[in-house]
């Protein structure tokens, strides 16, 4: 116990003591609520909304609202919130991160804070890691919200839905509740899960528009869908096409996965720009002729490559150019660098798979496929060329945002996960979020055994097979975690040779995920899975639906045995895998098998590990018991976590600059979308007036350049012969000339307005302004990407790249605003409604 903790006390324990009174208040309301009918429960929701309208705060009505949710859950799901779940709900409502262990019921816990904050009518977002969980949670938890009179929506990549209950199949919930009153406290967790699941058949998801789903009191969806919908909303040409309605409160499930693991991959909306597939195919063949160390060097930690002098000579000869860094050859550097990266750093069945003639990324943290997601900067095209599948054209960026900046939009943000404490510093610095560990309902009795360390990878996998064989013979269910599809399939082959029946789960056969996981806790089951089974998966002892006798037998055998075949770069991912065992006080065991040849040890283990590998003379099949190696593993993980934190911070530092630009551009865009014709007309005339001033002022000391001024003016609106003669008379009198040109502009605009009609003119102005903003914003994003690459080289001159980037980007942003106005001024008089088409 630290010095400050002794004096001031443990802040977490102090928080629990403070919340004890609130939990007692919630519990005291239970008996009275049990007497109410379902209709009366819904009326309570209206009463709480009325209290808020009269000045009460959410904290004032928290005890009653939490008690209502608990009562609705008892009647619909036959699940009663534990006191620790009430505590977790308070943490979420306060805008913090609740760290809750596996099996502690995070999904049910979230309903407390979701319902309370949804009473404001501002809309609550619940963010999940995939479409399956979003739909599952709406069907499951939607029963609670529906019973309390709130609407629930769901947005997924496959469509949008509203929760709707089939009235004709509904039993009398009150009489059903009364008949089960005495059993609520005695039902086991497994029995509650099973009895509650029957209700899923009585509800369904009704297809709806995205706008309707976002218009619900509560909206479930994935982080990707929420983020992309924000970007798409800022590309629409009619305000009615916007689907989102603001950013009030969000709860992020598996928050460390979404806000940390995925934070380095920005969301991008793009369109095909130009065809470069032939060059990628050519360079895919070229780089295979280069040798590491001789022609290029590589840095695995940062995934960077650099040509040596011999490499430069060889590439220049193969390309037929004198100097690859000259203007003629420099265009090839982009293709060369990406093709080399694709060859040396990205492996099939580890980083991606090839399916249906396309390259699909595998999420390194979850082991799941990411269809539709592509590596940026031409890397995906380089991998396609390497794998000899059709190379898609490179894309033009239309809109982009990082998850860090998207989730900062919310007035209040909260999250839950089983593993957040190891990343508490990052949550605090980046998102201003505090991590609060929530105690388990029952004591954790899982045994976490020390790592078994082997000299070679081959010996490690042989030992894993032997370990599986021993425990399989006893009937103990085993879950084996692997880091890649490649290692997953390799271990499966070894088990087949050993004659051990098993199930294999990876990104290639994810369709059977639910079926495989449901039986992973049965006696004698052996499941070999990638990280897919490490997060958000509840493995029930005895299988699902459970057999009570078999469940008890499995507990007597020691529960689920989790074996990790490699340490992950992030300790949280290891903890997620361990967390599959020991849920809700069940017994369980976890054990990691490590080799000195594993990527983590080989790349980040340092000289000490290399020395040990060279000098150890022990038999490779003998596990090494060494505190030095165990500490080295932990240090390596800490180093990688720190390295990744720095990488994410680096991305965020640069994205924060883009975010300021994006906020300003989108604010202007939203103004154009929302305002009426008089505003659009006034804005357009002001833009043209400013452009006329710029043209006249540029020629103020050059009377002889009047012909240039006329040519520039003709790019804005046509001047007839009479107007040209009048302008020439006034060319030496700048103020009079400006007044004349302004007056002429207004007359020409009035004629155009009469010809087109006010309504059509409004459409023309709105279209021209939005289209111009979008086109120049897209070019600005590309310019900033190139700027980011170029300022990195300035570090060699002793200058700070970020400072240089901020200064240069500030200049580019002012040019962007000028370019937008210049283009609008030169287009609005030329577009007619007859040729006008909205996108």
């Amino acid at each position: 116990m630290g010095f400050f903790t002794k004096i001031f006390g443990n802040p977490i324990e102090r928080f629990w003591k403070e919340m004890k009174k609130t939990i007692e208040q919630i519990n005291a309301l239970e008996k009275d609520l049990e007497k109410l009918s379902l209709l009366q429960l819904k009326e309570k929701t209206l009463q709480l909304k009325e209290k808020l309208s009269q000045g009460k705060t959410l904290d004032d009505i928290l005890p009653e609202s939490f008690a209502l949710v608990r009562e609705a859950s008892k009647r619909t799901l036959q699940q009663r919130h534990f006191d620790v779940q009430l505590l977790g709900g308070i943490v979420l409502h306060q805008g913090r991160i609740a760290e809750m262990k596996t099996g502690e019921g995070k999904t049910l816990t979230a309903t407390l804070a979701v319902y309370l904050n949804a009473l404001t009518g501002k809309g609550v977002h619940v963010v999940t890691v995939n479409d399956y969980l979003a739909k599952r949670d709406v069907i499951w938890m939607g029963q609670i919200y529906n019973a309390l009179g709130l609407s629930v929506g769901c947005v997924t990549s496959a469509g949008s839905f509203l929760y709707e209950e089939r009235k004709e199949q509904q039993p009398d919930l009150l009489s059903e509740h009364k008949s089960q009153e005495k059993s609520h406290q005695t039902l086991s967790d497994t029995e509650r899960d099973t009895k509650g699941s029957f209700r899923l058949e009585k509800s369904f998801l009704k297809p709806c528009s995205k706008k309707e789903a976002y218009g619900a009191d509560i909206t479930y969806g994935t982080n990707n869908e929420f983020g992309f919908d924000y970007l798409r909303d800022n590309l629409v040409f009619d305000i009615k096409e916007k689907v989102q309605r603001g950013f009030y409160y969000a709860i992020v499930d598996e928050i460390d996965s979404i806000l940390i693991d995925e934070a380095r991959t920005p969301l991008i909306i793009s369109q095909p720009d130009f065809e470069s597939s032939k060059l990628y195919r050519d360079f895919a063949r070229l780089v295979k002729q280069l040798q590491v160390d001789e022609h290029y060097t590589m840095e695995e930690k940062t995934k960077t490559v650099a040509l040596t002098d011999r490499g430069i000579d060889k590439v220049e000869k193969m390309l037929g150019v004198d100097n690859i860094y000259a203007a003629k050859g420099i265009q090839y550097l982009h293709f060369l660098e990406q093709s080399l990266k694709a060859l040396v750093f990205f492996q099939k069945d580890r980083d991606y798979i090839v399916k249906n003639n396309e390259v699909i990324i595998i999420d390194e943290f979850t082991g799941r496929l990411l269809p539709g997601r592509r590596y940026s900067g031409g890397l995906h095209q380089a991998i396609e060329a390497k794998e000899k599948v059709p190379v898609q054209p490179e894309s033009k960026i239309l809109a982009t945002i990082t998850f860090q900046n998207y989730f900062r939009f919310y007035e209040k943000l909260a999250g839950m996960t089983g593993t957040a404490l190891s990343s508490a510093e990052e949550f605090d610095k980046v998102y201003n979020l505090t991590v609060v560990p929530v105690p388990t309902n029952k004591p954790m009795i899982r045994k976490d055994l020390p790592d078994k360390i082997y000299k070679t990878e081959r010996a490690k996998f042989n030992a894993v097979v032997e370990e599986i064989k021993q425990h399989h013979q006893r009937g103990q269910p085993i879950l084996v975690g692997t880091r890649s599809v490649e290692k997953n399939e390799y271990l499966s082959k070894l088990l087949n040779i050993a004659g051990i029946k098993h199930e294999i789960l990876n990104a290639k056969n994810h369709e059977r995920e639910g079926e495989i996981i449901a039986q992973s806790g049965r006696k004698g089951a052996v499941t070999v899975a990638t990280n897919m089974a490490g997060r958000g998966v509840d493995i029930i002892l005895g299988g699902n639906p459970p057999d009570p006798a078999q469940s008890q037998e499995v507990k007597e055998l020691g529960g689920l045995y989790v074996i990790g075949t490699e340490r992950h770069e992030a300790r949280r991912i290891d903890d997620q895998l361990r967390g599959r065992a020991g849920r809700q006080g069940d017994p369980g065991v976890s054990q990691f098998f490590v080799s000195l040849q594993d990527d983590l040890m080989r790349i980040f283990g340092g000289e000490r590990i290399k020395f040990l590998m060279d000098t150890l003379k022990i038999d490779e099949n003998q596990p090494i018991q060494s505190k030095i190696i165990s500490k080295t593993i932990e240090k390596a993980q800490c180093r990688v976590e720190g390295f990744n934190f720095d990488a994410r911070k680096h991305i965020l530092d640069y994205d924060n600059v883009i975010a300021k630009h994006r906020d300003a551009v989108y604010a202007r865009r939203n103004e154009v979308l929302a305002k009426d014709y008089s505003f659009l007309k006034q804005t357009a005339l002001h833009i043209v007036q400013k452009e006329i001033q710029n043209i006249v002022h540029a020629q103020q000391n050059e009377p002889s350049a009047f012909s240039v001024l006329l040519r520039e003016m003709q790019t804005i609106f046509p001047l007839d012969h009479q107007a040209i003669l009048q302008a020439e008379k006034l060319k030496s009198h700048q103020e009079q000339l400006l007044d004349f040109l302004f007056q002429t502009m207004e007359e020409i605009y009035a004629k155009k307005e009469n010809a087109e009609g006010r309504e059509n003119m409004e459409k023309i102005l709105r279209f021209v302004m939005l289209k111009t903003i979008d086109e120049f914003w897209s070019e600005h994003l590309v310019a900033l990407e190139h700027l980011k690459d170029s300022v990195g080289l300035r570090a060699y001159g002793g200058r700070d790249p970020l400072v240089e980037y901020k200064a240069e980007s500030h200049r580019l942003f002012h040019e962007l605003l000028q370019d937008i106005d210049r283009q609008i001024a030169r287009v609005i008089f030329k577009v007619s409604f007859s040729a006008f088409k909205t996108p």
Side-chain angles (χ1 to χ4, degrees):
M1 185 179 289
F3 172 74
F4 288 103
T5 302
K6 286 179 181 177
I7 295 177
F8 300 108
N10 186 314
I12 303 300
E13 288 182 6
R14 195 163 62 245
F15 171 72
W16 294 340
K17 288 177 183 177
E18 289 171 1
M19 292 303 107
K20 187 177 179 182
K21 184 179 178 182
T22 303
I23 291 170
E24 287 172 352
Q25 288 177 319
I26 298 167
N27 292 337
L29 295 169
E30 188 166 15
K31 287 187 179 180
D32 288 338
L33 291 178
E34 286 177 345
K35 299 171 186 175
L36 301 182
S37 68
L38 192 60
L39 183 60
Q40 288 172 316
L41 287 184
K42 287 188 176 181
E43 288 173 353
K44 282 285 186 183
T45 294
L46 297 175
Q47 292 169 14
L48 289 175
K49 287 184 176 181
E50 182 64 23
K51 287 180 180 179
L52 288 177
S53 69
Q54 293 173 353
K56 293 283 187 182
T57 67
L58 291 177
D59 289 340
D60 292 335
I61 63 170
L62 184 150
E64 190 173 359
S65 73
F66 275 32
L68 273 171
V69 174
R70 177 191 264 176
E71 185 60 29
S73 177
K74 283 160 58 178
R75 299 195 194 189
T76 56
L77 304 181
Q78 284 71 57
Q79 291 184 318
R80 180 183 181 276
H81 292 77
F82 303 124
D83 283 0
V84 290
Q85 289 175 312
L86 299 179
L87 181 64
I90 294 169
V91 171
L92 295 174
H93 164 63
Q94 293 179 342
R96 305 187 192 190
I97 296 173
E99 184 181 82
M100 299 178 69
K101 301 302 179 186
T102 305
E104 291 298 307
K106 293 191 292 290
T107 307
L108 189 63
T109 298
T111 58
L112 300 160
V114 168
Y115 171 76
L116 173 60
N117 285 270
L119 292 173
T120 62
K122 296 179 182 179
V124 172
H125 293 171
V126 184
V127 188
T128 65
V129 291
N130 59 51
D131 286 347
Y132 164 76
L133 289 175
K135 291 172 78 172
R136 182 204 72 177
D137 291 354
V138 168
I139 294 173
W140 190 11
M141 298 300 130
Q143 300 168 75
I144 295 175
Y145 306 127
N146 182 70
L148 294 171
L150 295 185
S151 56
V152 191
C154 179
V155 290
T156 72
S157 58
S160 303
F161 310 90
L162 285 174
Y163 175 90
E164 191 168 290
E165 199 144 359
R166 294 177 182 170
K167 310 291 184 200
E168 68 275 8
Q169 294 186 21
Q170 280 302 295
D172 181 342
L173 292 181
L174 182 58
S175 61
E176 177 187 296
H177 164 69
K178 285 181 176 177
S179 68
Q180 295 177 351
E181 274 182 340
K182 294 181 181 178
S183 65
H184 281 316
Q185 302 289 339
T186 57
L187 283 176
S188 70
D189 304 317
T190 302
E191 287 171 329
R192 278 202 291 265
D193 287 345
T194 312
K195 284 183 175 286
S197 66
F198 87 96
R199 281 204 168 277
L200 302 189
E201 299 170 9
K202 300 185 189 305
S203 59
F204 66 95
L205 297 180
K206 175 187 173 184
C208 69
S209 68
K210 268 198 171 166
K211 196 161 192 171
E212 288 176 301
Y214 278 111
D217 295 309
I218 301 152
T219 306
Y220 283 77
T222 64
N223 50 318
N224 286 339
E225 209 59 27
F226 283 122
F228 277 128
D229 283 340
Y230 166 75
L231 294 178
R232 285 188 281 258
D233 271 358
N234 285 285
L235 289 171
V236 301
F237 278 71
D238 188 332
I239 198 166
K240 294 175 184 174
E241 295 172 11
K242 282 199 167 198
V243 296
Q244 292 185 334
R245 62 180 178 119
F247 304 94
Y248 167 56
Y249 177 50
I251 293 180
V252 183
D253 192 13
E254 306 295 358
I255 192 169
D256 53 332
S257 173
I258 291 173
L259 295 193
I260 292 182
D261 296 340
E262 294 195 40
R264 289 170 67 179
T265 308
L267 296 175
I268 298 171
I269 292 180
S270 58
Q271 66 182 22
D273 190 16
F274 60 88
E275 179 61 60
S276 55
S277 50
K278 184 180 182 300
L279 280 169
Y280 279 113
R281 286 194 290 268
D282 291 343
F283 275 88
R285 290 190 292 269
L286 183 151
V287 295
K288 288 180 181 176
Q289 301 174 49
L290 304 179
Q291 302 296 319
V292 66
D293 294 332
E294 182 182 355
H295 299 121
Y296 64 90
T297 58
M298 53 187 278
E299 178 53 66
E300 289 189 80
K301 293 180 184 179
T302 56
K303 288 189 177 178
T304 55
V305 290
L307 290 175
T308 62
D309 290 341
R310 293 189 65 180
I312 293 169
D313 291 341
K314 186 174 179 69
V315 169
E316 287 173 345
K317 285 177 185 175
M318 288 192 288
L319 293 175
V321 296
D322 295 329
N323 182 1
I324 197 172
Y325 294 100
K328 185 180 176 183
I330 202 164
Q331 60 176 314
Y332 296 131
L333 279 174
H334 166 75
F335 299 100
L336 176 66
E337 182 178 313
Q338 299 301 344
S339 299
L340 258 179
K341 282 185 179 180
L343 178 69
V344 301
F345 294 129
F346 290 83
Q347 290 183 24
K348 183 180 176 182
D349 290 341
R350 184 191 71 184
D351 303 298
Y352 61 88
I353 67 167
V354 177
K355 186 178 181 182
N356 297 329
N357 227 17
E358 64 174 318
V359 172
I360 303 176
I361 299 172
I362 298 173
D363 189 321
E364 67 166 306
F365 299 102
T366 66
R368 298 179 188 278
L369 293 180
L370 298 174
R373 288 277 284 273
R374 293 174 64 81
Y375 295 116
S376 59
L379 178 59
H380 209 97
Q381 286 85 350
I383 295 172
E384 288 170 331
K386 168 188 164 185
E387 296 295 341
K388 299 180 180 176
V389 302
V391 178
Q392 302 300 316
E394 287 197 271
S395 298
K396 178 181 179 181
I397 300 173
L398 300 180
T400 180
I401 194 169
T402 59
F403 285 125
Q404 290 112 313
N405 273 315
Y406 172 76
F407 282 104
R408 283 172 167 179
F409 290 146
Y410 287 92
E411 292 177 38
K412 186 163 69 171
L413 182 65
M416 48 193 183
T417 180
T419 48
L421 275 176
S422 60
S423 301
E425 180 187 0
E426 184 165 354
F427 279 123
D428 181 46
K429 287 183 176 178
V430 177
Y431 302 101
N432 197 27
L433 287 171
T434 307
V435 178
V436 180
V438 177
T440 57
N441 184 51
K442 296 177 182 176
M444 171 76 72
I445 60 171
R446 184 186 69 227
K447 296 178 182 176
D448 296 328
L449 303 175
D451 294 354
K452 287 189 175 180
I453 304 159
Y454 292 82
K455 186 176 180 182
T456 65
E457 187 177 67
R458 180 181 60 185
K460 175 188 72 175
F461 276 110
N462 287 339
V464 168
V465 172
E466 284 301 312
E467 187 80 2
I468 293 170
K469 188 185 294 183
Q470 286 180 28
H471 290 268
H472 178 58
Q473 287 171 351
R474 296 175 54 235
Q476 186 173 14
I478 303 166
L479 173 67
V480 189
T482 61
R483 274 199 62 186
S484 67
V485 176
E486 180 188 22
K487 297 287 171 37
N488 183 265
E489 293 177 339
Y490 172 67
L491 181 56
S492 178
K493 287 177 184 176
L494 295 181
L495 291 175
N496 285 331
I497 293 169
I500 299 172
K501 187 179 177 182
H502 64 282
E503 287 281 6
I504 181 170
L505 177 61
N506 58 44
K508 290 184 178 179
N509 71 333
H510 63 94
E511 295 86 358
R512 291 187 58 234
E513 178 180 356
E515 177 189 340
I516 292 170
I517 290 298
Q519 305 309 322
S520 294
R522 294 186 71 81
K523 182 181 178 182
V526 177
T527 309
V528 180
T530 57
N531 292 340
M532 288 176 69
R535 187 184 285 276
V537 171
D538 229 1
I539 297 175
I540 298 172
L541 299 186
N544 193 14
D547 176 344
Q550 188 175 130
S551 175
Q552 185 57 38
E553 194 175 350
V554 169
K555 288 179 181 178
E556 290 171 0
L557 288 168
L560 182 68
Y561 184 17
V562 171
I563 295 176
T565 59
E566 192 171 344
R567 283 286 194 168
H568 198 277
E569 289 178 359
R571 287 169 293 173
R572 290 179 294 101
I573 310 301
D574 292 341
D575 292 340
Q576 287 284 352
L577 181 60
R578 287 191 197 276
R580 297 317 98 195
R583 62 181 294 278
Q584 276 294 326
D586 286 342
V589 183
S590 74
Q591 170 87 71
F592 274 85
F593 286 71
V594 182
S595 91
L596 300 184
Q597 292 179 333
D598 291 347
D599 286 349
L600 178 70
M601 303 303 293
R602 185 175 54 80
I603 301 171
F604 296 97
E607 294 300 321
R608 180 176 287 179
I609 292 299
K610 291 176 184 175
F611 175 78
L612 284 170
M613 287 178 70
D614 294 336
T615 57
L616 285 174
K617 303 298 182 184
I618 61 172
D619 178 47
E620 70 171 21
N621 294 315
Q622 177 69 33
I624 306 164
Q625 300 293 328
S626 168
K627 288 184 179 179
I628 293 175
I629 297 177
S630 297
K631 285 182 180 178
T632 302
I633 292 172
E634 192 173 331
K635 283 181 181 177
Q637 287 180 308
C638 289
R639 285 178 61 201
V640 181
E641 287 169 4
F643 175 79
N644 289 337
F645 180 19
D646 290 342
R648 288 189 291 269
K649 189 175 182 303
H650 175 79
I651 289 171
L652 185 59
D653 287 340
Y654 283 86
D655 192 62
N656 283 339
V657 176
I658 299 176
K660 291 177 182 177
H661 298 181
R662 180 172 49 238
D663 290 346
V665 169
Y666 283 178
R668 182 172 178 179
R669 202 181 189 285
N670 287 329
E671 197 172 48
V672 173
L673 275 174
K675 296 289 187 176
D676 59 12
Y677 175 62
S678 60
F679 172 84
L680 295 177
K681 178 181 175 179
Q682 183 182 357
T683 302
L685 293 178
H686 176 71
I687 288 172
V688 177
Q689 198 175 55
K690 191 169 67 173
E691 188 60 23
I692 292 172
Q693 280 181 316
N694 291 339
I695 292 170
V696 172
H697 289 160
Q699 309 301 326
Q700 61 183 347
N701 298 318
E702 301 288 338
S704 61
F706 183 69
S707 59
V708 176
L709 182 148
L710 286 179
R711 281 201 304 272
E712 283 289 303
M713 289 303 307
Q714 295 280 17
T715 64
I716 299 176
F717 51 73
L719 292 171
D720 59 25
H721 181 66
Q722 194 66 34
I724 292 172
L725 289 177
Q726 182 63 23
E728 192 167 10
K729 289 179 183 178
L730 300 170
K731 65 182 181 182
S732 300
H733 306 281
Q734 193 177 102
E735 291 305 316
Q736 294 177 28
L737 176 61
L738 281 172
D739 289 341
F740 171 71
L741 292 174
F742 292 162
Q743 183 183 345
T744 304
M745 171 198 71
E746 289 175 0
E747 290 172 358
I748 293 173
Y749 185 90
K751 289 178 183 177
K752 184 174 180 64
E753 186 179 57
N754 289 333
E756 298 284 359
R758 184 183 175 96
E759 187 177 334
N760 289 344
M761 200 63 202
E762 180 178 346
K763 291 178 180 177
I764 289 171
L765 291 180
R766 186 169 281 122
F767 173 78
V768 168
M769 289 179 183
L770 293 175
K771 190 72 173 171
T772 305
I773 290 170
D774 290 350
E775 286 181 355
F776 280 91
W777 174 242
S778 176
E779 290 176 10
H780 184 66
L781 289 174
V782 173
L784 290 180
E785 274 300 306
H786 291 314
L787 176 62
K788 195 187 299 181
D789 292 337
S790 67
V791 295
L793 299 174
R794 301 185 191 182
Y796 294 108
R799 289 182 288 179
D800 185 332
L802 182 60
V803 172
E804 296 285 311
Y805 180 79
K806 287 179 177 177
E808 288 287 318
S809 65
H810 183 70
R811 179 184 60 79
L812 287 174
F813 182 64
H814 278 283
E815 288 180 8
L816 165 72
L817 299 180
Q818 291 169 3
D819 290 343
I820 288 173
D821 284 351
R822 191 178 296 120
Q823 180 75 355
I824 290 172
R826 281 163 172 74
V827 172
I828 55 175
F829 285 100
K830 297 184 176 69
V831 177
S832 64
F833 190 74
S834 58
F836 170 72
K837 291 181 181 178
T838 55

